[in-house]
Amino acid sequence: MREWWLHVGLICVPLVAVYLHIPPPQLSPALQKWHNAGQVFHFRGSRIFYRESYGALGSSDVVILLHGFPTSSYDWNKIWDPLAQRFHRVIALDFLGFGFSDKPRPHRYSIFEQASLVEALVAHLGLGNQRVNLVSHDYGDTVALELLYRSDHNRTGHLTLNSLCLSNGGLFPETHHPRLLQRILKDSSFLAPVLMRLTNFMIFQRGIGEVFGPYTQPTDAEFWDMWTGLRYNDGNLVLDSILQYINQRLKHRDRWVGALTSTFIPLHMIYGPLDPVNPHPQFIRLYQFQVQRSTVTVLDEHISHYPQLEDPTGFLNAYFNFIHSF
């Protein structure tokens, strides 16, 4: 009996060791094309990936796209070309710790740092005096609120905002329901390092699939591209640090919700109502009560947490209606 367990151990230990050092997957042709179209700038010693397109002639309008957790700027790929036909410049970046950007560890990731990163990119692109439109999703919504706060308080280096369009972000801690794995990773210093290494494609696919609608699930290739972006530069190993944004939302609620309720910048919310993270109707009722100056588009009932991917046409129609309303 003792020899049997010894043999199992001798077999399993090297297998586990190999598993924990599985190299990241290769980029798909679509993801490689996105990567090749991008550029890099340096922010506080880290390389930050961004993509920029020059589009509509005769327009000076600029739109900046802020992605969510745990994905990347590639979340905007389905609406990129139509936006480029409307705006003079379309810009998206991978936040520090996401996508093709550097993912330093150990590192104390914060919403404040990500907002400073966006400001640095805008300065790098020579847009410091340009009025810009922000479109954000999920994690990006909170970064956008910090940018809004700085803009409205005339902080040094702040953006000059022309408008803000939010989508399916956990703006209010009281209506935000993070997934079980997110709660464990952000609060468990003991389990987090093990779970981050053990997370594989099947676990990731199941978790992400739960926040898409039943009729709007990503294809296998799209799931794989999301996973590849996460694994690039060992991004799975910084998830616990990035997830501290959930605690930051609670700590700084008054600052960020206060910016949202007091601003005079045009606001819009595009909302997928099947979202289990920000459930209907609690989230949207609270948003409409708290942010009465904002207009709102609630998409079809089968659209969930990723509206720009699940219903790109509906998302674009809602956004263009908003942008043309002022």
Side-chain angles (χ1 to χ4, degrees):
M1 179 68 72
R2 190 175 301 171
E3 288 184 0
W4 182 80
W5 281 107
L6 180 61
H7 290 157
V8 170
L10 290 173
I11 293 171
C12 289
V13 168
L15 286 176
V16 170
V18 169
Y19 173 74
L20 295 181
H21 293 89
I22 290 177
Q26 295 294 311
L27 304 187
S28 70
L31 202 55
Q32 185 69 61
K33 181 179 178 181
W34 185 267
H35 179 269
N36 292 345
Q39 302 178 65
V40 166
F41 87 107
H42 289 84
F43 172 75
R44 299 178 182 174
S46 293
R47 291 163 51 86
I48 303 300
F49 174 88
Y50 70 95
R51 183 174 177 186
E52 179 183 23
S53 287
Y54 285 84
L57 297 175
S59 170
S60 60
D61 293 346
V62 176
V63 63
I64 300 174
L65 311 174
L66 307 178
H67 68 80
F69 175 92
T71 40
S72 70
S73 60
Y74 193 60
D75 289 351
W76 306 108
N77 76 92
K78 291 186 178 181
I79 64 172
W80 187 266
D81 289 341
L83 287 175
Q85 293 170 16
R86 164 60 181 81
F87 290 91
H88 175 55
R89 295 173 80 172
V90 182
I91 301 161
L93 73 155
D94 289 345
F95 290 123
L96 186 68
F98 294 79
F100 296 127
S101 291
D102 282 352
K103 299 167 179 177
R105 68 178 198 276
H107 186 80
R108 297 186 66 176
Y109 291 88
S110 78
I111 295 298
F112 299 102
E113 180 181 45
Q114 305 287 21
S116 296
L117 189 163
V118 176
E119 291 175 338
L121 175 60
V122 168
H124 172 76
L125 296 174
L127 296 171
N129 297 318
Q130 173 78 41
R131 298 182 69 84
V132 300
N133 302 281
L134 293 182
V135 179
S136 59
H137 171 244
D138 184 65
Y139 180 92
D141 280 6
T142 307
V143 178
L145 293 189
E146 173 58 20
L147 291 167
L148 179 64
Y149 177 90
R150 296 181 186 187
S151 177
D152 284 352
H153 288 77
N154 291 313
R155 295 295 177 90
T156 301
H158 71 81
L159 304 189
T160 304
L161 297 181
N162 189 55
S163 71
L164 171 58
C165 179
L166 306 157
S167 59
N168 286 79
L171 307 176
F172 311 110
E174 57 269 40
T175 60
H176 182 237
H177 298 273
R179 314 310 289 162
L180 175 61
L181 184 58
Q182 291 180 328
R183 296 198 301 271
I184 294 173
L185 288 177
K186 78 179 180 69
D187 292 329
S188 175
S189 59
F190 173 73
L191 285 176
V194 177
L195 291 175
M196 288 188 298
R197 287 190 176 275
L198 290 176
T199 298
N200 57 26
F201 173 70
M202 290 183 292
I203 295 172
F204 173 82
Q205 182 181 34
R206 180 176 178 181
I208 287 290
E210 288 176 350
V211 299
F212 279 77
Y215 309 114
T216 55
Q217 288 286 301
T219 65
D220 289 343
E222 289 169 342
F223 273 126
W224 192 252
D225 284 341
M226 293 179 189
W227 172 244
T228 301
L230 174 64
R231 284 296 320 279
Y232 192 89
N233 285 340
D234 292 327
N236 55 307
L237 302 183
V238 300
L239 291 176
D240 60 334
S241 299
I242 292 175
L243 278 164
Q244 296 310 307
Y245 79 88
I246 296 175
N247 297 330
Q248 292 164 24
R249 279 175 173 169
L250 181 61
K251 181 178 180 180
H252 302 288
R253 182 194 187 281
D254 290 347
R255 175 187 180 99
W256 293 331
V257 174
L260 191 60
T261 58
S262 64
T263 189
F264 289 98
I265 291 170
L267 295 172
H268 191 66
M269 166 65 71
I270 301 176
Y271 177 62
L274 201 58
D275 187 356
V277 182
N278 305 288
H280 186 272
Q282 297 95 321
F283 169 80
I284 203 65
R285 283 179 179 171
L286 182 58
Y287 181 84
Q288 290 175 309
F289 175 76
Q290 293 269 7
V291 196
Q292 297 183 11
R293 291 190 61 258
S294 175
T295 52
V296 172
T297 298
V298 178
L299 298 175
D300 291 345
E301 61 183 14
H302 63 277
I303 304 302
S304 187
H305 185 66
Y306 275 86
Q308 76 275 37
L309 291 174
E310 297 179 65
D311 185 10
T313 299
F315 191 99
L316 283 167
N317 287 340
Y319 184 60
F320 287 152
N321 286 338
F322 163 62
I323 211 74
H324 293 147
S325 68
F326 59 90

